Amino acid sequence: DEEMPQTEKESLRYTNSCPLQWETRPPLISASSWQMLPLNNISILLLEPQSPANIGSVARVMKNMGLTSLYLINPQTEINAESFQLACGADDILAAARRTETLEETLRPFSLCVGTTSRSVDTFPRVLTPHQLATQISEFSGESQIALLFGPERTGLTNEQVQYCQWLVTIP
């Protein structure tokens, strides 16, 4: 196996079709821009989370991405030992998680709410891919509070809940 220089590795993505092929792909955001993104203004909101394991897993992903603010809106479960086990070092995020009762109450301090959905939403005014979302968020000032809203694990966001969002993000 021939080792690829580090600079080339950073711009390549492994393809699933063939284990020996690499595909050139432009970075989502340049490295210099990414370092300037203020992440302390981005919060993750879990609406009616149903699984302690999911809450822990979300905390772990948040920690890996440099996010620290987690809201649990009308949780259907408690943070427990399983949550902490799956958080793998993100105990601080779980300990600081804010619990709120309603989506409306939770969204008051936020300038922008981005809902997540796996459904095709043709009627919504602004539906973005994750790449587009990263680019759009990078244009916000560090003072604008941004909420990324995830619906219940089994059902996702309802049409009514989506109406609280200014933007939606979906994975094509």
Side-chain angles (χ1 to χ4, degrees), residues 2-58:
E2 194 174 309
E3 191 64 28
M4 193 177 296
Q6 185 63 30
T7 55
E8 289 181 42
K9 279 185 180 179
E10 292 171 358
S11 65
L12 298 176
R13 180 173 62 93
Y14 191 73
T15 61
N16 290 331
S17 59
C18 176
L20 299 177
Q21 291 182 340
W22 291 85
E23 175 183 313
T24 302
R25 182 178 185 178
L28 289 177
I29 299 175
S30 70
S32 61
S33 296
W34 181 252
Q35 293 169 355
M36 296 186 312
L37 283 179
L39 297 179
N40 60 338
N41 67 328
I42 300 173
S43 296
I44 302 298
L45 283 57
L46 301 181
L47 181 62
E48 300 173 359
Q50 301 160 333
S51 164
N54 192 47
I55 295 170
S57 297
V58 167

Side-chain angles (χ1 to χ4, degrees), residues 154-170:
R154 291 186 191 100
T155 61
L157 296 172
T158 65
N159 290 338
E160 180 182 330
Q161 293 159 344
V162 164
Q163 297 309 309
Y164 284 94
C165 305
Q166 289 85 16
W167 299 352
L168 290 179
V169 65
T170 186

Side-chain angles (χ1 to χ4, degrees), residues 41-49 69-75 97-114 145-150 161 164 166:
N41 67 328
I42 300 173
S43 296
I44 302 298
L45 283 57
L46 301 181
L47 181 62
E48 300 173 359
S69 179
L70 175 63
Y71 286 80
L72 305 175
I73 307 166
N74 190 25
R98 297 177 193 107
R99 295 171 194 272
T100 59
E101 294 301 316
T102 67
L103 179 55
E104 185 175 349
E105 161 198 348
T106 308
L107 289 175
R108 282 190 189 121
F110 294 97
S111 305
L112 173 67
C113 178
V114 181
Q145 295 300 308
I146 300 168
L148 296 180
L149 176 63
F150 294 83
Q161 293 159 344
Y164 284 94
Q166 289 85 16

